[in-house]
Amino acid sequence: MLLAKSLFDYEFLTPIALFGMVFALAWWVMDRIASGRTRALERLAELREPERQQRRLALKKSDAVSKVLEVATPALAKPLQPKSEAELSKLKLKLANAGFRGEMANSIFLGLKFTGLMLGLFLGGGLSLALGGMNQKALMTTVLAAGGLFYLPDIVVGLLARHRQQAIFLSLPDALDLMVVCVEAGLGLDQAMRKVAEEMKKAHPILAAEFALANFQLQMGRPRAEVLHELGVRTGVAELRSLASVLIQADKFGSSVAQALRVQSDSMRTRRRQLAEEKAAKTAVQLIFPLVLFIFPGIFVVLVGPAAITMIREMFPKMAGG
């Protein structure tokens, strides 16, 4: 009797306990979701506190991992240090195109390459020897692993540079239109660049940061031609280099800066439209592979499947019986 009563209590209390746990978990999740601020409130908070983003970046820079990299990478980068000023300038330009302009960028990049090489040699070689022994296949695996990890930072930097250049290219016509408005309103080129950097900080942060850096260099007393030329070289965008050349010539010969900016903006918008049309024309060719690999097999199964099942059920038995 006691055993039956305890069993009854156990079977009766277990669903109640499970229901209570699920209910408490659902209540906690809904409370967390409801207590979170919406994106609109977060944007308003950012506008009210412009230093918030700067504090967040400062916290990221002071991260322990960054400190370890800054301390360890100079020693690791010594074997790969450029032997001449030309190679060092080329490396700095490559990193600047990807947005890395810090003093330790070269050392960190080279240190990561050397670390990847060592990891590829030891890990790849160790695993190959442990799995297959000392043979030609193990040697090739070690070389491929070491080479892949050695060139992995170059690939990542190249992808970041391409993404950054694409963002600058797409945002440049809007920036030029705003510069035209500022120049025609009576502002000088320096003030127009400062205004563009301030107004486009939210919409196009990469180009705004580049203009802000160029404006800071102008405030420090560097020649305008040199700053504009460095702006085009630092970003690696051909359209920005041509814009810098046009502005240098307009400033040198005293021609209208607003007219030069308007012509450059129109040409860039035409270039952007041509690129969009080119990508749209390539879409038909690019759709062939997903159609052949994924859509056509499904259509083939749906259309031919019933006929094949009918043939297997009707014709094959008659052929076997005949």
Side-chain angles (χ1 to χ4, degrees), residues 96-293:
N97 290 338
F100 302 106
R101 296 187 293 265
E103 296 181 359
M104 300 295 296
N106 300 339
S107 300
I108 293 176
F109 177 74
L110 296 176
L112 289 176
K113 287 175 66 69
F114 185 78
T115 303
L117 178 62
M118 293 296 103
L119 287 176
L121 288 176
F122 287 107
L123 293 181
L127 291 176
S128 300
L129 291 176
L131 295 177
M134 188 64 183
N135 50 27
Q136 186 177 2
K137 183 178 180 181
L139 181 61
M140 291 297 297
T141 303
T142 303
V143 172
L144 290 176
L149 292 178
F150 179 76
Y151 287 106
L152 182 61
D154 294 284
I155 297 174
V156 173
V157 169
L159 292 176
L160 291 176
R162 183 179 301 177
H163 174 72
R164 183 181 175 85
Q165 291 169 358
Q166 183 72 12
I168 292 175
F169 171 75
L170 294 177
S171 59
L172 196 53
D174 300 332
L176 292 182
D177 290 341
L178 184 57
M179 287 182 67
V180 169
V181 174
C182 294
V183 171
E184 290 182 345
L187 295 179
L189 184 59
D190 302 347
Q191 291 79 8
M193 292 179 63
R194 186 187 304 115
K195 192 65 176 177
V196 169
E198 293 175 357
E199 295 294 333
M200 302 188 67
K201 189 180 297 183
K202 296 292 184 181
H204 305 291
I206 298 177
L207 185 60
E210 293 293 338
F211 277 176
L213 179 59
N215 188 52
F216 177 75
Q217 292 175 350
L218 289 173
Q219 290 179 354
M220 295 302 293
R222 296 187 60 183
R224 181 182 296 176
E226 182 179 346
V227 170
L228 292 175
H229 177 72
E230 184 177 347
L231 175 63
V233 174
R234 183 175 63 244
T235 56
V237 181
E239 288 76 12
L240 198 53
R241 287 198 298 266
S242 63
L243 172 64
S245 301
V246 169
L247 292 179
I248 291 171
Q249 292 178 1
D251 186 42
K252 183 178 180 181
F253 297 105
S255 58
S256 176
V257 176
Q259 184 65 26
L261 290 174
R262 184 178 289 106
V263 172
Q264 194 71 15
S265 176
D266 293 339
S267 64
M268 287 199 62
R269 289 186 184 278
T270 303
R271 173 63 176 163
R272 191 167 63 176
R273 184 173 62 252
Q274 290 175 351
L275 289 177
E277 293 175 354
E278 181 181 355
K279 289 183 179 180
K282 291 180 180 179
T283 304
V285 179
Q286 294 174 353
L287 284 175
I288 292 176
F289 300 101
L291 284 173
V292 173
L293 295 177

